[in-house]
């Protein structure tokens, strides 16, 4: 069992990957904090209990897994006790739990105090009903994540954020209005609503291109996206799926005042990151 006194025995020797599959919050938080402190690659499994829909299982940053109760508790503890707010990939389900904790009773059927039956202090006795297939799928997802990470094979996991068509209509209309203001017409807009949804959701995860390393949870996301708009990455090319980035209004104004060459020379890492992401749109819509 992991605890502070066994940290070196368990985590020493620079393991290739740390997989956290612990249910107990105290131990889970301590293990993840130690992994981050040691600079280890890691992934954490959250609550699989009381779920039955395998299509709702996702991989995302800990900061984005707001729909899972275990994730919320772990995130709160990591932030409060260790100053860790993000940077830990987790496997979780967006499905709302179907059932609650199983009532705890003594062998004779009478009410009992769960604390009287603990084998190890701090570990829960009452359990959440589990459909055996779901934890197994969590494990398979974690294994796939580890193998592709070690192999350097890029996998673009499905975003957690979901919007209705009104939000994508808003982004589309803002783009048209900006094109008319900046270029005199909207003839350069070469995206429909479906393509706007892809760019906003799949490419930029409904966040500014300048905030991709610090993704926030989806709570209050509407207020967040209301300050964003699409703009051309390269002003000399049409507003197509592989030439649109998502920025705040202020960031977009600053971007539109610069040339691409200036961005490349002054912010090479940002330039390379955006170029790499936009290639996904090129592959998706042009089949290259």
């Amino acid at each position: 069992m992991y605890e502070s006194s066994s940290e070196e025995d368990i985590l020493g020797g620079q393991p290739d990957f740390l997989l956290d599959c612990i249910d107990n919050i105290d131990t889970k938080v301590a293990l993840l904090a130690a992994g981050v402190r040691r600079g280890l690659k890691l992934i954490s499994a959250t609550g699989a209990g009381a779920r039955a829909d395998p299509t709702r299982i996702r991989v995302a940053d800990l900061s984005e897994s707001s729909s899972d109760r275990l994730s919320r508790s772990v995130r709160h503890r990591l932030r409060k006790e260790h100053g860790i707010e993000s940077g830990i990939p987790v496997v979780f389900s967006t499905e709302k739990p179907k059932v609650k904790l199983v009532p705890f009773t003594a062998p004779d059927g009478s009410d009992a105090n769960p604390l009287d039956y603990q084998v190890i202090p701090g570990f829960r006795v009452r359990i959440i009903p589990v459909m055996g297939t779901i934890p197994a799928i969590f494990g398979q997802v974690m294994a796939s994540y580890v193998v592709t990470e070690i192999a350097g094979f890029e996998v673009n996991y499905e975003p957690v954020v979901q919007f209705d068509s009104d939000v994508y209509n808003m982004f589309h209309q803002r783009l048209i209005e900006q094109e008319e203001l900046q270029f005199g017409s909207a003839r350069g807009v070469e995206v429909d609503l479906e393509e706007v949804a892809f760019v906003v959701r799949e490419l930029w995860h409904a966040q500014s291109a300048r905030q991709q390393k610090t993704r926030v949870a989806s709570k209050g996301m509407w207020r967040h996206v209301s300050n964003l708009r699409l703009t051309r990455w390269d002003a000399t090319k049409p507003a197509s799926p592989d030439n649109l980035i998502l920025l705040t209004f202020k960031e977009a104004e600053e971007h539109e005042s610069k040339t691409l060459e200036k961005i490349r020379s002054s912010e090479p890492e940002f330039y390379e990151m955006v170029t790499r992401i936009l290639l996904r749109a090129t592959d998706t819509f042009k089949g290259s």
Side-chain angles (χ1 to χ4, degrees):
M1 185 177 71
Y2 177 82
E3 52 189 5
S4 57
S5 61
S6 61
E7 177 181 324
E8 183 58 34
D9 291 337
I10 295 176
L11 301 182
Q14 283 296 17
D16 294 308
F17 235 98
L18 169 61
L19 287 80
D20 158 47
C21 307
I22 301 174
D23 287 334
N24 179 58
I25 292 178
D26 290 344
T27 312
K28 192 178 194 73
V29 169
L31 177 66
L32 291 173
V36 171
R37 186 175 66 253
R38 287 172 171 264
L40 299 176
K41 289 186 176 182
L42 51 81
I43 184 169
S44 175
T46 63
R51 270 87 172 186
D53 185 353
T55 67
R56 304 285 190 92
I57 297 172
R58 300 287 185 270
V59 176
D61 188 88
L62 178 67
S63 63
E64 297 181 82
S65 57
S66 58
S67 61
D68 178 72
R69 182 177 180 181
L70 180 58
S71 291
R72 290 197 298 270
S73 299
V74 170
R75 184 169 57 249
H76 174 75
R77 292 275 300 274
L78 284 170
R79 181 176 63 250
K80 182 178 179 181
E81 299 171 13
H82 303 280
I84 300 171
E85 298 187 8
S86 61
I88 298 176
V90 297
V91 178
F92 69 102
S93 173
T94 60
E95 181 183 8
K96 185 177 180 180
K98 307 293 186 186
V99 291
K100 299 180 180 180
L101 284 170
V102 175
F104 188 84
T105 58
D108 62 2
S110 61
D111 291 338
N113 183 356
L115 297 179
D116 295 336
Y117 291 83
Q118 285 184 323
V119 177
I120 302 173
F123 274 68
R124 72 184 186 207
V125 177
R126 296 173 65 194
I127 62 169
I128 298 175
V130 176
M131 178 178 285
T133 56
I134 302 301
I137 296 172
F138 268 54
Q140 293 289 345
V141 171
M142 295 178 80
S144 296
Y145 181 90
V146 171
V147 170
T148 53
E149 281 288 311
I150 290 176
F153 184 81
E154 183 178 1
V155 177
N156 298 300
Y157 291 94
E158 184 174 1
V160 178
V161 178
Q162 302 282 350
F163 293 124
D164 59 30
S165 60
D166 289 342
V167 176
Y168 300 121
N169 269 314
M170 175 196 72
F171 281 115
H172 195 225
Q173 187 58 39
R174 284 180 179 176
L175 176 62
I176 290 173
E177 292 172 358
Q178 180 59 30
E179 288 280 312
E180 292 174 342
L181 180 65
Q182 188 174 357
F183 300 101
S185 77
R187 288 193 298 270
V189 176
E190 297 183 357
V191 288
D192 57 23
L193 200 60
E194 180 181 351
E195 291 165 336
V196 166
F198 173 86
V199 172
V200 171
R201 181 170 175 265
E202 301 284 342
L203 293 188
W204 303 111
H205 299 269
Q207 287 200 270
S208 165
R210 293 191 172 277
Q211 298 175 341
Q212 292 301 298
K213 292 184 179 180
T214 56
R215 291 178 186 161
V216 297
S218 56
K219 184 178 181 180
M221 185 60 77
W222 167 251
R223 293 191 298 274
H224 181 70
V225 300
S226 65
N227 190 39
L228 297 174
R229 69 177 174 88
L230 292 165
T231 189
R232 298 188 193 188
W233 171 239
D234 184 343
T236 67
K237 297 179 180 180
S240 56
D242 57 353
N243 191 40
L244 286 173
I245 60 173
L246 195 60
L247 295 169
T248 65
F249 281 91
K250 183 178 180 180
E251 290 168 346
E253 289 177 5
E254 292 176 354
H255 176 78
E256 290 158 359
S257 69
K258 302 176 183 177
T259 65
L260 211 54
E261 285 303 316
K262 184 176 181 180
I263 296 173
R264 184 195 300 209
S265 61
S266 62
E267 301 179 89
E269 290 186 5
F270 177 68
Y271 179 89
E272 290 176 8
M273 181 271 290
V274 172
T275 301
R276 184 178 67 253
I277 290 176
L278 290 178
L279 280 175
R280 288 184 52 204
T282 302
D283 293 340
T284 299
F285 291 100
K286 295 184 178 179
S288 60

